[in-house]
Amino acid sequence: MHRTTIKVVEDALDANTTLAKANRSDFDRSGVTVVNLMSAPGAGKTTLLTKVLGDMKGVRVGVLEGDVQGSLDADRLAHLHLPVVQIQTDNGFGGECHLDANMVRSALPDLPLDDIDLLIIENVGNLVCPAEFKVGEDIRIMVSSVTEGEDKPAKYPLMFRACEMVIVNKIDLLPYLDYDLDKFNYYLDGVHPEVPRMFVSAKTGEGMEELRDYLVGLATRTAAPATT
Amino acid sequence: MALGSAVVNTATKHAAGRQVKVVTMSIGKLRQVVPDSLSFYFDIIAKDTVCDGARLDINIVPALLRCDNCKKEWEPDFPTFRCPFCADSKVTVLSGEEFMVESLEVEEDEPCTAPQ
């Protein structure tokens, strides 16, 4: 019995990256644009979806809901009559705090990929782990609500750097909070300079039209090359 | 915990059935990984695998950024990705994003003929 040292030099997340690429090629083959929607718990991801997915101007949308337990979020979207698939992550050790490429892959047979243009993957509410695990998405959108405080980009830089769009939600509450919007922009520009951002309120409807147009634009952007 | 699982899986794959004694990793400062937590979960997940009882050695890699405009390099303290010299926002991360299993120390069953 003796000891040997083996050189490995492999990213420990390579297995996830490989599966994410496999998901991505399945999405591409069906011409589906995929959004990974991430935020802390309670930032309003599902509420935003209920507000904008009702009329997507002809874009056919499917939703993949990730939660530790239950189907409350999927139930809230039921009235929209969209294909919604719920993934529960509680098979893991107490429930995984994020979706990974393998979980998304296991849900693909339940999704009518050929009949949708846009798939929104609503990740588990968490500002840490979802940023580490790609699932095969085209774009990552982060929702940050003003009740979380303006310092979150500085505290969770990886999450705010890993996204292509930041949606600041619940701005109707600004008059009641000490939240400093300029400071938020300052912190966000520090970790992700010039990342596009929208300031919205799912409650009052402010910014919902803009968000809908943005999502519709994402779906048509990818659809264009597929038709040529 | 999922990260701990990813480390155990990577190590197990490369160990090819041999008992693992030490796993050496490089983890960049820009990753949101807490070494103590990773070690804690690594120990739990390693049970009943070839990594059971293995030690996890973690080397922290400092963050190093380079401005695409003025080409200067710096190590950020506060999370800021804007060049402190010319304020440009196009910045390349040279190091600090690693989550790499570098090497394994494994126990070989067959007698070793090399000088000890």
Side-chain angles (χ1 to χ4, degrees):
Chain A
M1 193 81 78
H2 69 286
R3 286 193 186 189
T4 320
T5 301
I6 314 171
K7 198 171 171 199
V8 178
V9 197
E10 181 177 310
D11 190 310
L13 293 176
D14 262 6
N16 187 71
T17 307
T18 304
L19 281 175
K21 281 183 185 153
N23 290 347
R24 179 69 179 265
S25 46
D26 284 358
F27 296 141
D28 284 349
R29 203 172 310 121
S30 301
V32 181
T33 302
V34 180
V35 168
N36 186 356
L37 188 63
M38 308 182 288
S39 80
K45 295 185 296 300
T46 313
T47 308
L48 285 169
L49 294 183
T50 60
K51 295 285 177 168
V52 298
L53 296 188
D55 172 23
M56 284 288 284
K57 302 180 179 173
V59 170
R60 299 164 303 168
V61 183
V63 181
L64 194 56
E65 281 289 345
D67 282 295
V68 174
Q69 276 202 341
S71 62
L72 288 173
D73 283 356
D75 297 345
R76 287 174 62 195
L77 296 171
H79 70 283
L80 297 172
H81 305 293
L82 303 170
V84 178
V85 174
Q86 176 84 49
I87 301 179
Q88 286 150 354
T89 67
D90 65 350
N91 292 333
F93 182 83
E96 291 289 2
C97 56
H98 60 276
L99 292 176
D100 63 27
N102 191 39
M103 293 181 216
V104 169
R105 189 141 198 84
S106 68
L108 292 190
D110 298 325
L111 280 164
L113 289 184
D114 290 331
D115 301 323
I116 58 173
D117 309 305
L118 180 69
L119 174 65
I120 297 180
I121 300 177
E122 186 182 335
N123 218 310
V124 181
N126 179 352
L127 289 180
V128 184
C129 299
E132 299 275 2
F133 292 86
K134 290 224 163 94
V135 295
E137 68 274 45
D138 295 282
I139 196 151
R140 296 172 141 200
I141 300 178
M142 232 230 102
V143 182
S144 181
S145 63
V146 295
T147 47
E148 295 163 43
E150 69 272 317
D151 56 358
K152 292 302 163 288
K155 288 187 170 177
Y156 301 91
L158 189 63
M159 174 59 84
F160 283 87
R161 278 181 54 230
C163 60
E164 285 84 32
M165 166 61 82
V166 176
I167 297 170
V168 179
N169 190 23
K170 308 189 189 179
I171 57 164
D172 54 298
L173 295 176
L174 282 175
Y176 312 102
L177 302 169
D178 293 330
Y179 187 92
D180 186 334
L181 208 53
D182 290 339
K183 251 190 188 161
F184 175 82
N185 281 320
Y186 170 77
Y187 287 133
L188 182 56
D189 279 329
V191 300
H192 198 163
E194 292 155 29
V195 62
R197 59 205 78 174
M198 281 183 200
F199 298 91
V200 308
S201 165
K203 177 99 176 161
T204 65
E206 189 174 347
M208 289 301 101
E209 198 58 39
E210 192 189 354
L211 176 58
R212 180 182 296 119
D213 288 348
Y214 170 72
L215 293 173
V216 168
L218 288 179
T220 39
R221 187 186 67 178
T222 313
T227 55
T228 53
Chain B
M1 194 193 70
L3 294 178
S5 200
V7 175
V8 171
N9 289 340
T10 304
T12 302
K13 184 178 83 181
H14 287 272
R18 292 165 292 188
Q19 188 68 35
V20 178
K21 303 309 274 184
V22 184
V23 178
T24 306
M25 286 194 76
S26 294
I27 301 181
K29 265 196 96 163
L30 297 173
R31 301 300 286 243
Q32 292 179 161
V33 175
V34 181
D36 282 352
S37 295
L38 184 64
S39 296
F40 175 74
Y41 286 118
F42 174 84
D43 290 349
I44 294 173
I45 294 157
K47 293 260 183 293
D48 303 323
T49 76
V50 291
C51 297
D52 196 353
R55 190 178 81 225
L56 183 61
D57 282 351
I58 298 173
N59 301 315
I60 300 292
V61 184
L64 186 62
L65 308 182
R66 184 179 61 208
C67 175
D68 291 350
N69 178 39
C70 72
K71 310 293 179 204
K72 285 187 178 149
E73 295 178 7
W74 77 99
E75 267 186 50
D77 290 329
F78 180 76
T80 177
F81 290 80
R82 196 180 279 282
C83 175
F85 306 103
C86 73
D88 202 89
S89 61
K90 300 220 170 23
V91 161
T92 304
V93 177
L94 298 176
S95 74
E97 291 186 324
E98 298 77 3
F99 191 65
M100 196 71 83
V101 176
E102 294 287 355
S103 63
L104 305 176
E105 213 175 289
V106 295
E107 227 156 35
E108 301 275 9
D109 275 337
E110 65 272 26
C112 180
T113 51
Q116 294 293 306

